[in-house]
mmCIF file of all heavy atoms in Angstrom:
data_model
loop_
_atom_site.group_PDB
_atom_site.id
_atom_site.type_symbol
_atom_site.label_atom_id
_atom_site.label_comp_id
_atom_site.label_asym_id
_atom_site.label_seq_id
_atom_site.Cartn_x
_atom_site.Cartn_y
_atom_site.Cartn_z
ATOM 1 N N GLY A 165 123.119 116.774 91.443
ATOM 2 C CA GLY A 165 123.430 117.447 90.204
ATOM 3 C C GLY A 165 122.167 118.204 89.684
ATOM 4 O O GLY A 165 121.173 118.282 90.312
ATOM 5 N N GLY A 166 122.322 118.725 88.487
ATOM 6 C CA GLY A 166 121.228 119.459 87.862
ATOM 7 C C GLY A 166 120.891 118.829 86.518
ATOM 8 O O GLY A 166 121.663 118.119 85.956
ATOM 9 N N ASN A 167 119.663 119.121 86.056
ATOM 10 C CA ASN A 167 119.213 118.703 84.755
ATOM 11 C C ASN A 167 118.827 119.937 83.933
ATOM 12 O O ASN A 167 118.306 120.909 84.478
ATOM 13 C CB ASN A 167 118.023 117.708 84.794
ATOM 14 C CG ASN A 167 118.446 116.341 85.260
ATOM 15 O OD1 ASN A 167 119.620 116.014 85.230
ATOM 16 N ND2 ASN A 167 117.461 115.500 85.569
ATOM 17 N N TYR A 168 119.080 119.831 82.656
ATOM 18 C CA TYR A 168 118.718 120.898 81.667
ATOM 19 C C TYR A 168 117.552 120.349 80.865
ATOM 20 O O TYR A 168 117.622 119.263 80.256
ATOM 21 C CB TYR A 168 119.915 121.239 80.814
ATOM 22 C CG TYR A 168 119.601 122.060 79.588
ATOM 23 C CD1 TYR A 168 119.677 123.474 79.655
ATOM 24 C CD2 TYR A 168 119.231 121.477 78.365
ATOM 25 C CE1 TYR A 168 119.451 124.260 78.517
ATOM 26 C CE2 TYR A 168 118.957 122.262 77.253
ATOM 27 C CZ TYR A 168 119.077 123.658 77.362
ATOM 28 O OH TYR A 168 118.823 124.419 76.227
ATOM 29 N N ILE A 169 116.474 121.128 80.811
ATOM 30 C CA ILE A 169 115.317 120.724 80.026
ATOM 31 C C ILE A 169 115.051 121.795 79.002
ATOM 32 O O ILE A 169 114.979 122.963 79.296
ATOM 33 C CB ILE A 169 114.056 120.589 80.934
ATOM 34 C CG1 ILE A 169 114.322 119.636 82.082
ATOM 35 C CG2 ILE A 169 112.849 120.118 80.151
ATOM 36 C CD1 ILE A 169 113.300 119.670 83.220
ATOM 37 N N MET A 170 114.837 121.375 77.748
ATOM 38 C CA MET A 170 114.446 122.294 76.672
ATOM 39 C C MET A 170 113.112 121.880 76.113
ATOM 40 O O MET A 170 112.894 120.690 75.824
ATOM 41 C CB MET A 170 115.505 122.330 75.583
ATOM 42 C CG MET A 170 115.187 123.388 74.526
ATOM 43 S SD MET A 170 116.478 123.496 73.233
ATOM 44 C CE MET A 170 116.235 121.952 72.345
ATOM 45 N N THR A 171 112.219 122.832 75.893
ATOM 46 C CA THR A 171 110.953 122.572 75.250
ATOM 47 C C THR A 171 110.585 123.774 74.422
ATOM 48 O O THR A 171 111.293 124.767 74.326
ATOM 49 C CB THR A 171 109.865 122.249 76.292
ATOM 50 O OG1 THR A 171 108.662 121.807 75.633
ATOM 51 C CG2 THR A 171 109.534 123.493 77.122
ATOM 52 N N VAL A 172 109.387 123.699 73.732
ATOM 53 C CA VAL A 172 108.943 124.741 72.843
ATOM 54 C C VAL A 172 107.485 124.988 73.142
ATOM 55 O O VAL A 172 106.657 124.070 73.306
ATOM 56 C CB VAL A 172 109.085 124.328 71.369
ATOM 57 C CG1 VAL A 172 108.367 125.263 70.447
ATOM 58 C CG2 VAL A 172 110.578 124.286 71.002
ATOM 59 N N CYS A 173 107.139 126.268 73.257
ATOM 60 C CA CYS A 173 105.708 126.685 73.360
ATOM 61 C C CYS A 173 105.308 127.310 72.023
ATOM 62 O O CYS A 173 105.975 128.204 71.524
ATOM 63 C CB CYS A 173 105.521 127.695 74.526
ATOM 64 S SG CYS A 173 105.651 126.941 76.153
ATOM 65 N N THR A 174 104.179 126.909 71.509
ATOM 66 C CA THR A 174 103.733 127.304 70.186
ATOM 67 C C THR A 174 102.767 128.462 70.239
ATOM 68 O O THR A 174 102.346 128.997 69.218
ATOM 69 C CB THR A 174 103.137 126.194 69.372
ATOM 70 O OG1 THR A 174 102.070 125.599 70.160
ATOM 71 C CG2 THR A 174 104.203 125.124 69.099
ATOM 72 N N ASN A 175 102.291 128.902 71.456
ATOM 73 C CA ASN A 175 101.368 130.021 71.565
ATOM 74 C C ASN A 175 101.559 130.681 72.935
ATOM 75 O O ASN A 175 102.111 130.099 73.849
ATOM 76 C CB ASN A 175 99.898 129.617 71.323
ATOM 77 C CG ASN A 175 99.446 128.543 72.297
ATOM 78 O OD1 ASN A 175 99.223 128.737 73.471
ATOM 79 N ND2 ASN A 175 99.322 127.261 71.778
ATOM 80 N N GLU A 176 101.073 131.914 73.090
ATOM 81 C CA GLU A 176 101.211 132.722 74.283
ATOM 82 C C GLU A 176 100.529 132.106 75.452
ATOM 83 O O GLU A 176 101.015 132.142 76.596
ATOM 84 C CB GLU A 176 100.751 134.131 74.020
ATOM 85 C CG GLU A 176 101.611 134.973 73.113
ATOM 86 C CD GLU A 176 102.970 135.251 73.690
ATOM 87 O OE1 GLU A 176 103.111 135.310 74.932
ATOM 88 O OE2 GLU A 176 103.931 135.398 72.935
ATOM 89 N N ARG A 177 99.331 131.549 75.274
ATOM 90 C CA ARG A 177 98.585 130.969 76.351
ATOM 91 C C ARG A 177 99.355 129.820 76.966
ATOM 92 O O ARG A 177 99.426 129.650 78.176
ATOM 93 C CB ARG A 177 97.223 130.483 75.880
ATOM 94 C CG ARG A 177 96.379 129.893 76.951
ATOM 95 C CD ARG A 177 94.966 129.535 76.503
ATOM 96 N NE ARG A 177 94.190 128.982 77.548
ATOM 97 C CZ ARG A 177 92.899 128.565 77.424
ATOM 98 N NH1 ARG A 177 92.294 128.709 76.244
ATOM 99 N NH2 ARG A 177 92.250 128.045 78.413
ATOM 100 N N GLN A 178 99.884 128.944 76.107
ATOM 101 C CA GLN A 178 100.682 127.795 76.598
ATOM 102 C C GLN A 178 101.891 128.311 77.362
ATOM 103 O O GLN A 178 102.211 127.757 78.447
ATOM 104 C CB GLN A 178 101.095 126.952 75.409
ATOM 105 C CG GLN A 178 101.790 125.616 75.786
ATOM 106 C CD GLN A 178 102.155 124.849 74.513
ATOM 107 O OE1 GLN A 178 102.907 125.314 73.713
ATOM 108 N NE2 GLN A 178 101.637 123.663 74.408
ATOM 109 N N LEU A 179 102.584 129.342 76.875
ATOM 110 C CA LEU A 179 103.762 129.880 77.559
ATOM 111 C C LEU A 179 103.354 130.465 78.862
ATOM 112 O O LEU A 179 104.012 130.198 79.907
ATOM 113 C CB LEU A 179 104.389 130.941 76.665
ATOM 114 C CG LEU A 179 105.614 131.665 77.287
ATOM 115 C CD1 LEU A 179 106.730 130.703 77.589
ATOM 116 C CD2 LEU A 179 106.095 132.804 76.376
ATOM 117 N N ASN A 180 102.279 131.217 78.905
ATOM 118 C CA ASN A 180 101.860 131.849 80.213
ATOM 119 C C ASN A 180 101.464 130.804 81.208
ATOM 120 O O ASN A 180 101.780 130.912 82.418
ATOM 121 C CB ASN A 180 100.660 132.777 79.959
ATOM 122 C CG ASN A 180 101.030 134.006 79.184
ATOM 123 O OD1 ASN A 180 102.198 134.411 79.160
ATOM 124 N ND2 ASN A 180 100.099 134.622 78.472
#
Side-chain angles (χ1 to χ4, degrees):
N167 283 348
Y168 168 93
I169 305 168
M170 184 177 73
T171 189
V172 168
C173 289
T174 56
N175 58 73
E176 289 294 331
R177 181 175 180 180
Q178 188 179 59
L179 177 63
N180 291 335

